[in-house]
Amino acid sequence: MLEGLRVLACGARDAVKLCATLLERAGARVDSAATDGADYEVIVVSSDMDIAQWKASGAHIVCDITATGAQDSRSGTPWTDAQIQAMSGLMDTTGFSNGAPVRIGIAFAEISAALYAASAIASAVRVKRQRGIVQNIDVTLMGCAASALTTFLPAAFARRTAARVGNRHPACAPWNAYRTRDGWILICTSTEEQWRKLRQEARVPQLDDARFATLAARVRHVDELDALIETWTTTLATDDCTRLCERIGVAAGPIVGIAELHGEPNFRMRHAQAARAIESNGIGAHTYRQVSIFETFALSEARDVVKPQTRKIDDHAAPLAGVKVIEIGQYTTAPLVGKHLAALGAQVVKIEPPDGEVARSWQPGQGGTSYFFALNNTDKQTIELDLKHEADRAHLRALLKDADVLVENLRPGALAKLGFTRETLGAINPRLVYCSISGFGIASAYPSRPAFDTVIQAMGGLMDLTRSDGAPVKIGASGADILGGQAALFAIVARLASPATEGTFIEISMQDVAAWCALFAAGQDAPRGEALACLDGHVWIEGEVSDAERARCITLPKAAAAASIAGAVAVMRVDELLEDRDFLADVLSAARDANGAFWPVLKVPYRLSRTPASVRAVPGAPESVRRAPPAPARAPVPEDRPV
């Protein structure tokens, strides 16, 4: 992928260290101290050091990772990850509704910045190798943190305040962490059929009450519902409850302690060496390096020589101009990948099911499309296909013939059941880069277990590290989905930067990515700090907090407390960001749809100086591909069997 690339990584931020690890995993040679006469193609820094000479030289791709942008009123201060969580709104989205905001237990902004920086660097390397252009890159932790707010910003756009929900889902129930006889389990239902099966297995008579007859009713009475569910889960061991839920098709999983991660069956199966090392020596500063966030394989057994496609590209075009991507996915992970590939200049064709992706109809929105869908699907061409029909599968095969990338987040094996195995894809297009994103990976201890973001956070160690008054709580943003999508983005762009032309299969397990992040956090000294209540919200204070500071904060508005107490920053609500001039200037943007309507969207949090990525348009309704009528036949032709 990035073999032959020489990288110098020097800077105090964790994001620099993690970015270097990612580039090294993709094949680059990384040094942490400059060698005399060394010809570095890429330099990764955080501008707590003098980098003006490197940036001005034009000899290197220089990636500068900072807390805020140069035009931000808070620039020049080395804000910590926790302070960025507070300033960006991320902290206020994490925690229980009746408690204080919670610092995410991993350095989320640093990790996200490392992943986006690695993708931007791979994009710049591709440009240099294709066009000879060398450019600088700027990445901000603030922009990366704000980019994770796609589930909370829609309420703010509709002038509403989104409350913290703990481990619940604002629109689905039951969906929560429940105590078991020996620990905790996450149970997540999203359909009436799942609820019916769960109710039958629980055998709690009160669950048949009319208060829980519909989804809307269950959400209204969620406190009573959760209490009744827990009367059942506390009678079971966690493993028994998990197996039962898997058998009936309900997403569920234990909250795995970071110290017990080495014994988690899927982690141990996929990362046996790391599991043995943790078991023998515990978690150290470099343990995370033994876990890979992506795996690559040959797409098929065929090893035919493949001629690269040659497309004329303007020197000033975006990095992925000329690349064609097919996206099959919903909600967050694959759509996030497609969104950034499109921003980087690729032609992205999104395949939606009949009647469109479910997330299109979520509220709030405008013109029949949700803000959530718009935020995650900018700059894509959308097509409606029913892949249960052969004519529509044939249309997909035609699209794949000249595609460069296929990315999907279907359940493992779903695409193969439709006739699109890796071997088949290799026959259709021998040079295709195919990326599959799933909860537990293709080779998994749980081949039939469904997974949601919350379950992966629980089983990847993230929830164990994020706690409110001792209770485990999920990252408010869809942390496992977002970080999994970022890992896929980097792997795809790194492969596109390679001169290799053979077909490649990229496997992303969101649990692998979550475990990588959790192990990195567990190997560092845990930062100290506390969110203190003020008259109108909270402030975050770094380090030890005194009783006098607690007493003082409760008498002050948070802006006054942040201004008068050393190390304090205001914990911003997401709706407050829309009145923050730095957020409006550096993070928020506007795009148009096909009807000319304006939409609030997010800028990408990385800036390439000469071939910039950009967010331009919101897609309209998916184009309907009309199937040809069946040919006349002497006998009726049976319909395709549903998958």
Side-chain angles (χ1 to χ4, degrees):
M1 299 172 80
L2 299 180
E3 285 80 8
L5 185 71
R6 293 205 62 190
V7 178
L8 173 63
C10 47
R13 287 204 170 275
D14 285 341
V16 173
K17 179 195 307 181
L18 291 168
C19 180
T21 301
L22 292 165
L23 296 172
E24 194 171 50
R25 167 68 182 86
R29 174 181 166 182
V30 178
D31 295 327
S32 57
T35 304
D36 289 342
D39 183 19
Y40 295 108
E41 194 172 347
V42 174
I43 300 175
V44 189
V45 294
S46 50
S47 58
D48 49 356
M49 56 190 300
D50 183 10
I51 62 169
Q53 183 178 357
W54 281 336
K55 277 193 168 183
S57 72
H60 317 279
I61 297 168
V62 179
C63 181
D64 186 11
I65 304 174
T66 57
T68 61
Q71 305 305 314
D72 193 293
S73 63
R74 298 157 294 193
S75 66
T77 300
W79 303 103
T80 67
D81 185 271
Q83 289 172 326
I84 293 293
Q85 288 185 33
M87 291 157 53
S88 68
L90 266 184
M91 186 178 290
D92 194 64
T93 66
T94 302
F96 296 101
S97 58
N98 58 351
V102 173
R103 177 186 64 81
I104 297 169
I106 61 170
F108 187 92
E110 297 272 2
I111 293 169
S112 181
L115 285 158
Y116 278 131
S119 296
I121 289 167
S123 300
V125 169
R126 174 183 167 87
V127 170
K128 183 184 176 185
R129 291 177 175 178
Q130 284 189 338
R131 307 176 219 169
I133 294 174
V134 177
Q135 59 191 313
N136 297 323
I137 302 165
D138 290 288
V139 178
T140 68
L141 270 68
M142 185 69 179
C144 293
S147 293
L149 296 172
T150 50
T151 54
F152 293 90
L153 280 168
F157 296 156
R159 301 182 182 277
R160 299 204 299 261
T161 299
R164 290 183 292 279
V165 295
N167 294 317
R168 287 173 171 166
H169 190 289
C172 295
W175 183 304
N176 209 343
Y178 302 94
R179 292 186 183 275
T180 63
R181 201 167 63 203
D182 57 354
W184 294 85
I185 187 171
L186 257 295
I187 296 177
C188 307
T189 63
S190 59
T191 68
E192 289 300 319
E193 178 67 9
Q194 290 170 354
W195 162 240
R196 182 185 66 78
K197 290 181 177 179
L198 188 71
R199 188 181 74 243
Q200 289 175 346
E201 290 293 338
R203 297 175 185 169
V204 176
Q206 296 93 320
L207 292 178
D208 294 326
D209 191 274
R211 290 172 298 168
F212 314 124
T214 66
L215 176 58
R218 292 195 296 277
V219 171
R220 282 198 306 272
H221 300 285
V222 69
D223 289 335
E224 303 100 300
L225 175 66
D226 282 346
L228 290 169
I229 293 290
E230 200 162 81
T231 65
W232 166 61
T233 59
T234 50
T235 67
L236 299 170
T238 305
D239 286 347
D240 292 338
C241 193
T242 302
R243 282 193 292 269
L244 185 153
C245 288
E246 183 174 359
R247 178 172 57 79
I248 62 175
V250 171
I255 297 179
V256 178
I258 190 67
E260 288 76 47
L261 185 61
H262 65 277
E264 199 286 314
N266 199 54
F267 180 87
R268 195 168 188 89
M269 172 185 164
R270 293 177 61 84
H271 307 286
Q273 183 177 352
R276 289 192 296 270
I278 296 170
E279 195 170 23
S280 300
N281 305 312
I283 299 170
H286 300 290
T287 304
Y288 76 100
R289 294 174 64 93
Q290 298 183 52
V291 175
S292 176
I293 65 169
F294 65 88
E295 299 291 343
T296 59
F297 310 89
L299 179 60
S300 67
E301 294 183 359
R303 295 292 187 271
D304 296 337
V305 176
V306 184
K307 292 183 179 180
Q309 270 201 346
T310 56
R311 297 177 177 127
K312 186 173 176 57
I313 300 170
D314 184 85
D315 280 352
H316 301 290
L320 300 185
V323 172
K324 180 178 176 181
V325 178
I326 307 300
E327 174 204 311
I328 308 175
Q330 300 191 78
Y331 307 121
T332 299
T333 48
L336 180 146
V337 177
K339 165 189 170 176
H340 283 277
L341 294 175
L344 287 163
Q347 176 197 358
V348 178
V349 180
K350 179 182 178 73
I351 307 300
E352 298 190 48
D355 301 321
E357 180 180 331
V358 172
R360 278 183 177 269
S361 61
W362 290 358
Q363 295 298 319
Q366 61 181 18
T369 298
S370 70
Y371 289 124
F372 175 85
F373 180 87
L375 286 168
N376 283 288
N377 291 284
T378 43
D379 303 307
K380 299 175 186 177
Q381 175 189 354
T382 58
I383 294 178
E384 181 181 291
L385 291 179
D386 186 346
L387 297 179
K388 293 192 293 291
H389 292 274
E390 172 53 30
D392 286 15
R393 293 196 295 271
H395 190 87
L396 177 57
R397 284 193 290 271
L399 290 173
L400 289 168
K401 281 183 179 179
D402 67 344
D404 299 283
V405 176
L406 167 64
V407 58
E408 52 94 353
N409 65 333
L410 305 176
R411 187 177 295 190
L415 205 56
K417 287 180 180 178
L418 293 167
F420 296 95
T421 65
R422 282 166 53 185
E423 289 295 327
T424 301
L425 290 169
I428 294 171
N429 184 345
R431 59 181 186 80
L432 184 69
V433 177
Y434 167 32
C435 179
S436 170
I437 311 169
S438 63
F440 301 108
I442 302 299
S444 168
Y446 313 122
S448 62
R449 181 178 298 185
F452 287 117
D453 169 87
T454 311
V455 172
I456 299 301
Q457 287 199 42
M459 297 182 66
L462 298 180
M463 283 181 62
D464 182 48
L465 295 174
T466 306
R467 289 181 175 261
S468 177
D469 294 329
V473 62
K474 73 180 182 71
I475 300 168
S478 301
D481 281 346
I482 291 165
L483 294 168
Q486 286 186 262
L489 175 68
F490 169 59
I492 290 169
V493 180
R495 172 59 185 78
L496 293 175
S498 167
T501 59
E502 67 274 5
T504 303
F505 175 63
I506 299 171
E507 181 202 26
I508 303 289
S509 157
M510 294 193 301
Q511 188 191 30
D512 290 353
V513 181
W516 183 79
C517 298
L519 289 170
F520 175 76
Q524 318 300 309
D525 292 332
R528 300 185 66 83
E530 189 175 340
L532 301 184
C534 299
L535 289 174
D536 59 349
H538 293 79
V539 293
W540 171 262
I541 298 182
E542 297 275 278
E544 297 290 342
V545 178
S546 68
D547 290 339
E549 288 172 328
R550 292 188 183 90
R552 186 178 179 190
C553 280
I554 201 67
T555 67
L556 296 172
K558 62 184 180 184
S564 61
I565 299 175
V569 296
V571 178
M572 298 291 287
R573 296 195 315 270
V574 174
D575 60 294
E576 291 176 326
L577 294 174
L578 300 189
E579 299 176 0
D580 180 87
R581 65 180 184 181
D582 292 315
F583 180 85
L584 295 175
D586 292 342
V587 178
L588 201 64
S589 185
R592 282 187 170 185
D593 63 20
N595 297 320
F598 284 99
W599 290 78
V601 294
L602 297 173
K603 297 176 183 176
V604 295
Y606 44 87
R607 309 283 190 265
L608 290 91
S609 61
R610 296 186 60 186
T611 61
S614 61
V615 177
R616 303 168 298 280
V618 170
E623 175 189 348
S624 178
V625 178
R626 183 174 297 175
R627 292 187 294 275
R634 293 182 180 178
V637 179
E639 293 183 358
D640 290 340
R641 183 179 300 174
V643 177

